[in-house]
Amino acid sequence: MACARVPLDEQQVTEPGPLGKERTLPALHPDRKEDRCFVPYKPPPDDGSPAEVEEFLEYARFITEDLEWLLSLPHDKFWCQVVFDESLQRCLDSYLRHAPRSLDLTALPSSPAVAETQRSIHRAVFLTFLRMATHKESKENFLTPAVFGEIIYDNFLFDIPKILDLCVLFGKGNSQLLHKMIDNIFTQQPSYYGDLDETVPTVLQVFDSILDKCGLQCEGATAMEPMKLNAHKQPTAMTMSQQELADVILYLCDSTTTIHAFLDIFPSACSTFHSHGFLSRLTSFYETTVPDLEKAVRKRNFDDKGLQEDLWKRLSHSCRKMVEMAHLLLHHTCLQPILEGTENMQTYAEELLQHFTSFLPEKRFLSDYDEQFPIADDISLLQQALPVIDETRTSYLLQGVEGAWDSLGRRKPQSQIQPKASSLFLANQGAVGGAAAAAAASSASFKPQEVQEPGGGESLRGAEAMLDVPRKGNNGAVCPVSGAELESLLSCIRDLLPDLGEGFLLACLEEYDYNSELVINNILEDRLAPSLDKLDRAMPRPVKEELPCVLDSRSNVFDDDEFDVFRRDQVDMSRIWKGRRKGESAREMLNDKQHIAEQRARYQAYETVVDEVVIEPGETAATYGLDDYDDEYDDTYDMNQVGANDLDGDSLLNRRPFTVPQVLRKGNKPEEEEEEDEEEEETVQNNVNRDQFVQDPAVLRERAEARRAAMQQRKGFRPERPSNVVGQPKGQGQTLETFLDRRRKEANKSRVSNHNRRTMADRKRNKGMIPS
């Protein structure tokens, strides 16, 4: 049995051996390990098919039961299993590698059972790592700190990649426990600081690989060498495939989130990152890569719009984490020593100002950093802590920050105009808890998933920044307040300042986000923006140009007709109906010949045809409605019969008399109807003996016989021999003619009706309908 108050690494235990004989072993010995196989972890399925969900639940149940069994073991058995069971380490490593992160779409559970199971595994894995990082559980169960450090380091129970994954997976809600875990690991085994120092260059290679993938970096001496003709052109964010662009953004998002979580939970690592020039590399990478990736995500045409929105959210998240990383490094390496009142406060203040000065060329990074963590507030409190700071230098820095905003065409959020507590003040409230102060400063000065559009003046959220819609500050076409609200704001300001014009007040409201109190305050204190100072304060309200009426410029083929409601005040509504007219059947509609009566008068006008009109003495052509002679008249295409009444041209007058169409003769030509009736009676008398439906069968037979006789008289005609398929009685043999006739009948019987009787008979016989 283990002795009390003795560390586990010095204890000896007596147990029966394989042959039943007792033996004495160290408490940490491979033979004391239980034979148990820990299965590797698999992430929840994406599509949520029943088979994959069932497989995940089964694997998860195995892992949860095994880890709960492990946690229930006593102190000595637990450490024997942890140190000597390789399957346990593979199981834990698989979870750190494949567990869904907070931004992954697959992190959303497909069902309540899957979500509950994932939470159970997550809790069991975290408790396992927490116990592995604890060298003293009680006064009786503990390890020597030096031996504990050797065990976790030599057996690779913890390493820098594992610690990074632990921070990004369990940091939310467990930051204090994780901080104690990691601090104990680094305290008991200082070799991890050396591993971290060797890991930082690898982290910097992440930035270099992304720059190289986007074609934004030339390596070493090759930058000054001419490109070879056969060298392939490096793809850019706009030319690479959508899958490659998605991989780059996912890689960037995962890397920045992991590094930020580690620095936030374990601030002691900031000094190691700072010693490698991580801050300067981070700002230059941000300035070079972020605008290029934002342009690619916003301008490229994606097949899947959901993918485009997801990439934009991940890119915005990455930008926010990189800015917060820079703030963490500045806070823990420069600001914290100043707040703690160390001896070299002047040195740290000089280093902080030097970093702010190095930010000035990186205008995009500087504006984004100033948006989350206002530099003016930090400099103000820095001047309070160290009054000897050069005001000329600080003024230069503040002007550089304003110039960065102006160069990008952006405006500071209105929240920065009002004074507020900075990160220095928050850190001063709890200098020991640096991670908590940084988190408080981040939450106090930044809104999640909010980015600034490079060319606009309004902050956009998430995927909304990708939409090319009119926005305030761009073309002024969109007003965030309604017309009634705008009039109310103008009335409120004019009650206090009646001498100002409405046009000037509208410009001020637009400049200050329609905040009437801020407009009044800036006007009274004479702190208006330079663009507003140039305006005439009595400027009237611009008159809206009324657009011309659409009806005046429209053109339609139905203009000025009887149903043109735009130009007529009265319309005959009796001629307008929808569908079939009520009370009128289809037969009545077809029998309505009103349109025929309307056309009859037109055709009757053509009955009177006058070739020549003889003008009597004393009359003129105007008397008969004829025009006077026109010398300029063109008669090229006229059909006038010149000389038709001459003696030698009588044939030209023998024209066909005009005939009124038959449909128009009803009730007007009784004589013509009588003539037509007589012609019909004669036709009936002529055909009285003819049967137009059935012909005489005798005549038909005679015609058929005549056709057969004609066919027999043709050359080479051979009369058909009568068929004999009966033949002689059975047993006497058959002649060749009978055999040929039977074969011909068998082959040609399908030409007549019911030709498939043999097939149907076989089908019935096969089904058992006909006894064989």
Side-chain angles (χ1 to χ4, degrees):
M1 295 295 294
C3 298
R5 303 290 181 173
V6 178
L8 181 62
D9 51 278
E10 298 178 3
Q11 294 180 11
Q12 300 288 330
V13 295
T14 302
E15 293 182 351
L19 301 179
K21 185 177 180 180
E22 292 187 354
R23 58 178 180 172
T24 302
L25 298 174
L28 291 176
H29 195 273
D31 292 343
R32 302 194 64 201
K33 176 181 69 70
E34 298 290 341
D35 293 333
R36 197 178 187 96
C37 181
F38 291 82
V39 297
Y41 170 80
K42 291 185 177 181
D46 297 338
D47 54 356
S49 62
E52 293 181 350
V53 171
E54 184 68 24
E55 181 184 7
F56 168 76
L57 294 177
E58 185 176 6
Y59 269 80
R61 181 170 56 84
F62 292 154
I63 296 174
T64 305
E65 292 177 355
D66 291 342
L67 292 181
E68 290 178 352
W69 170 83
L70 177 67
L71 293 172
S72 65
L73 293 176
H75 186 252
D76 56 340
K77 288 286 187 179
F78 172 81
W79 279 103
C80 288
Q81 203 73 28
V82 168
V83 174
F84 302 113
D85 193 346
E86 296 181 356
S87 65
L88 171 61
Q89 298 303 321
R90 287 194 295 268
C91 174
L92 296 176
D93 291 347
S94 64
Y95 185 83
L96 295 181
R97 185 181 301 110
H98 300 296
R101 270 57 175 171
S102 58
L103 287 180
D104 292 339
L105 295 178
T106 55
L108 301 176
S110 57
S111 65
V114 174
E116 183 63 28
T117 305
Q118 178 63 27
R119 283 193 294 267
S120 301
I121 299 179
H122 194 76
R123 180 177 181 276
V125 172
F126 177 67
L127 293 178
T128 302
F129 277 108
L130 183 61
R131 190 175 183 185
M132 288 168 54
T134 305
H135 70 284
K136 185 177 181 179
E137 296 183 2
S138 64
K139 295 181 179 180
E140 293 80 14
N141 301 321
F142 64 95
L143 283 166
T144 305
V147 177
F148 168 76
E150 293 179 359
I151 290 176
I152 62 176
Y153 190 80
D154 296 339
N155 294 280
F156 298 96
L157 300 184
F158 291 98
D159 53 25
I160 300 301
K162 285 185 180 180
I163 294 174
L164 294 175
D165 288 334
L166 286 172
C167 292
V168 74
L169 283 175
F170 305 103
K172 186 177 182 180
N174 304 295
S175 58
Q176 295 182 357
L177 286 177
L178 272 176
H179 175 72
K180 293 181 179 180
M181 277 178 53
I182 301 174
D183 185 67
N184 186 57
I185 292 172
F186 276 81
T187 302
Q188 306 304 331
Q189 183 52 269
S191 298
Y192 282 109
Y193 281 105
D195 294 348
L196 179 62
D197 188 71
E198 297 177 357
T199 304
V200 175
T202 305
V203 175
L204 294 175
Q205 290 180 1
V206 173
F207 298 153
D208 295 337
S209 61
I210 294 177
L211 289 172
D212 183 66
K213 192 69 176 178
C214 296
L216 300 174
Q217 184 181 35
C218 297
E219 299 182 359
T222 59
M224 301 302 296
E225 297 177 0
M227 182 180 293
K228 297 181 181 180
L229 295 178
N230 57 354
H232 296 285
K233 186 178 180 181
Q234 185 72 16
T236 63
M238 292 295 295
T239 59
M240 66 175 62
S241 63
Q242 293 185 7
Q243 184 61 41
E244 292 179 347
L245 179 62
D247 293 341
V248 169
I249 295 179
L250 292 178
Y251 184 45
L252 174 63
C253 180
D254 183 66
S255 302
T256 54
T257 304
T258 303
I259 299 172
H260 173 267
F262 176 65
L263 295 178
D264 188 21
I265 293 173
F266 188 59
S268 300
C270 292
S271 59
T272 304
F273 278 80
H274 185 69
S275 63
H276 286 268
F278 185 82
L279 186 58
S280 60
R281 293 288 301 275
L282 178 65
T283 56
S284 62
F285 171 80
Y286 189 99
E287 187 71 19
T288 306
T289 309
V290 169
D292 195 62
L293 292 178
E294 284 184 349
K295 179 181 177 182
V297 175
R298 293 173 56 191
K299 299 300 182 182
R300 293 185 59 168
N301 294 325
F302 284 80
D303 300 333
D304 185 7
K305 295 301 180 183
L307 173 63
Q308 186 179 16
E309 295 180 1
D310 179 63
L311 293 181
W312 181 262
K313 292 178 181 178
R314 290 180 181 271
L315 183 58
S316 302
H317 180 79
S318 303
C319 296
R320 186 168 62 256
K321 293 304 178 184
M322 285 189 284
V323 171
E324 293 177 357
M325 274 193 290
H327 176 71
L328 287 174
L329 292 173
L330 289 177
H331 175 78
H332 294 290
T333 59
C334 300
L335 301 179
Q336 192 75 20
I338 297 176
L339 296 176
E340 293 175 354
T342 58
E343 297 179 357
N344 300 324
M345 292 178 57
Q346 185 67 32
T347 304
Y348 290 116
E350 180 67 24
E351 186 178 0
L352 176 63
L353 295 177
Q354 184 64 32
H355 283 301
F356 284 156
T357 305
S358 65
F359 292 168
L360 294 181
E362 319 294 346
K363 299 186 182 300
R364 173 61 191 275
F365 174 81
L366 181 60
S367 60
D368 289 348
Y369 182 89
D370 186 63
E371 180 184 3
Q372 299 187 37
F373 310 102
I375 296 178
D377 295 344
D378 292 341
I379 292 179
S380 176
L381 293 181
L382 187 63
Q383 289 174 341
Q384 298 177 16
L386 294 172
V388 296
I389 296 296
D390 187 7
E391 294 185 0
T392 305
R393 188 175 184 181
T394 56
S395 300
Y396 172 75
L397 287 176
L398 295 178
Q399 291 177 4
V401 174
E402 296 293 337
W405 284 90
D406 296 338
S407 64
L408 297 176
R410 300 165 59 183
R411 292 181 299 173
K412 282 188 177 183
Q414 295 300 320
S415 58
Q416 293 191 16
I417 297 178
Q418 302 294 336
K420 62 178 181 180
S422 69
S423 58
L424 282 172
F425 176 76
L426 293 171
N428 195 18
Q429 300 301 317
V432 178
S442 173
S443 62
S445 59
F446 182 69
K447 298 179 180 179
Q449 294 186 1
E450 181 169 352
V451 296
Q452 283 283 347
E453 188 176 2
E458 184 179 359
S459 60
L460 309 178
R461 289 184 177 272
E464 294 178 358
M466 297 183 297
L467 305 179
D468 295 331
V469 297
R471 299 191 180 276
K472 176 173 57 59
N474 185 9
N475 56 6
V478 175
C479 179
V481 297
S482 63
E485 293 175 346
L486 183 60
E487 295 296 334
S488 176
L489 293 176
L490 289 174
S491 176
C492 177
I493 300 175
R494 286 181 61 85
D495 289 343
L496 297 177
L497 305 171
D499 57 328
L500 299 181
E502 292 188 357
F504 175 75
L505 295 179
L506 285 175
C508 294
L509 287 173
E510 183 179 355
E511 178 69 21
Y512 295 108
D513 293 337
Y514 295 89
N515 188 343
S516 59
E517 297 179 358
L518 191 58
V519 171
I520 295 173
N521 182 65
N522 290 339
I523 291 176
L524 295 177
E525 296 184 3
D526 199 13
R527 293 191 307 175
L528 291 175
S531 59
L532 297 177
D533 284 337
K534 300 177 183 179
L535 298 178
D536 182 11
R537 299 204 171 193
M539 181 174 60
R541 192 170 187 171
V543 180
K544 293 184 179 180
E545 181 181 358
E546 296 184 0
L547 298 177
C549 182
V550 179
L551 299 178
D552 296 338
S553 59
R554 99 190 226 285
S555 179
N556 196 282
V557 296
F558 300 106
D559 286 346
D560 299 321
D561 64 356
E562 57 178 328
F563 301 110
D564 190 358
V565 295
F566 299 106
R567 290 179 172 83
R568 290 179 179 270
D569 296 333
Q570 300 293 333
V571 178
D572 188 5
M573 300 302 296
S574 62
R575 300 194 57 194
I576 302 175
W577 65 86
K578 183 178 180 181
R580 183 178 296 176
R581 184 181 294 181
K582 297 181 180 180
E584 180 181 6
S585 62
R587 177 68 61 182
E588 294 176 355
M589 183 177 63
L590 293 176
N591 292 336
D592 185 10
K593 305 302 181 181
Q594 181 180 359
H595 60 285
I596 297 179
E598 295 175 355
Q599 297 294 331
R600 181 175 289 108
R602 176 181 299 179
Y603 281 94
Q604 288 177 352
Y606 292 103
E607 292 184 355
T608 304
V609 179
V610 179
D611 294 332
E612 292 183 0
V613 177
V614 180
I615 299 177
E616 299 295 336
E619 297 178 352
T620 61
T623 306
Y624 298 90
L626 303 177
D627 296 334
D628 295 337
Y629 174 72
D630 186 6
D631 186 55
E632 300 297 333
Y633 178 73
D634 185 9
D635 58 355
T636 304
Y637 301 99
D638 285 354
M639 299 300 296
N640 295 334
Q641 300 176 5
V642 180
N645 292 335
D646 296 345
L647 297 178
D648 56 351
D650 294 341
S651 60
L652 295 178
L653 298 178
N654 297 331
R655 61 175 62 188
R656 178 178 179 272
F658 178 80
T659 304
V660 179
Q662 185 177 1
V663 71
L664 301 176
R665 298 179 185 178
K666 182 177 181 181
N668 293 332
K669 297 293 182 179
E671 299 179 358
E672 295 181 0
E673 291 179 0
E674 293 177 0
E675 294 178 358
E676 292 177 359
D677 294 342
E678 294 177 358
E679 293 178 357
E680 291 178 0
E681 292 177 359
E682 294 178 359
T683 304
V684 172
Q685 292 177 1
N686 295 335
N687 298 334
V688 68
N689 296 326
R690 294 183 58 186
D691 191 347
Q692 299 293 342
F693 184 71
V694 180
Q695 297 186 12
D696 189 1
V699 176
L700 296 179
R701 286 194 294 272
E702 292 178 0
R703 294 178 181 175
E705 187 64 26
R707 286 196 299 270
R708 285 194 294 271
M711 185 179 300
Q712 294 177 2
Q713 292 178 3
R714 294 179 181 176
K715 184 178 182 180
F717 172 77
R718 295 177 59 185
E720 184 178 358
R721 181 177 57 82
S723 176
N724 180 16
V725 295
V726 179
Q728 298 180 3
K730 187 175 182 181
Q732 298 182 6
Q734 305 295 335
T735 61
L736 179 60
E737 289 78 4
T738 302
F739 176 75
L740 294 176
D741 291 341
R742 289 179 178 178
R743 188 171 64 176
R744 185 182 303 107
K745 179 180 179 182
E746 180 70 19
N748 298 326
K749 67 182 181 179
S750 62
R751 293 186 299 104
V752 296
S753 62
N754 199 19
H755 56 271
N756 59 343
R757 58 184 178 275
R758 173 63 59 85
T759 304
M760 299 303 294
D762 293 342
R763 182 177 179 184
K764 291 182 180 180
R765 187 178 293 105
N766 293 336
K767 291 186 177 181
M769 298 181 183
I770 303 176
S772 56

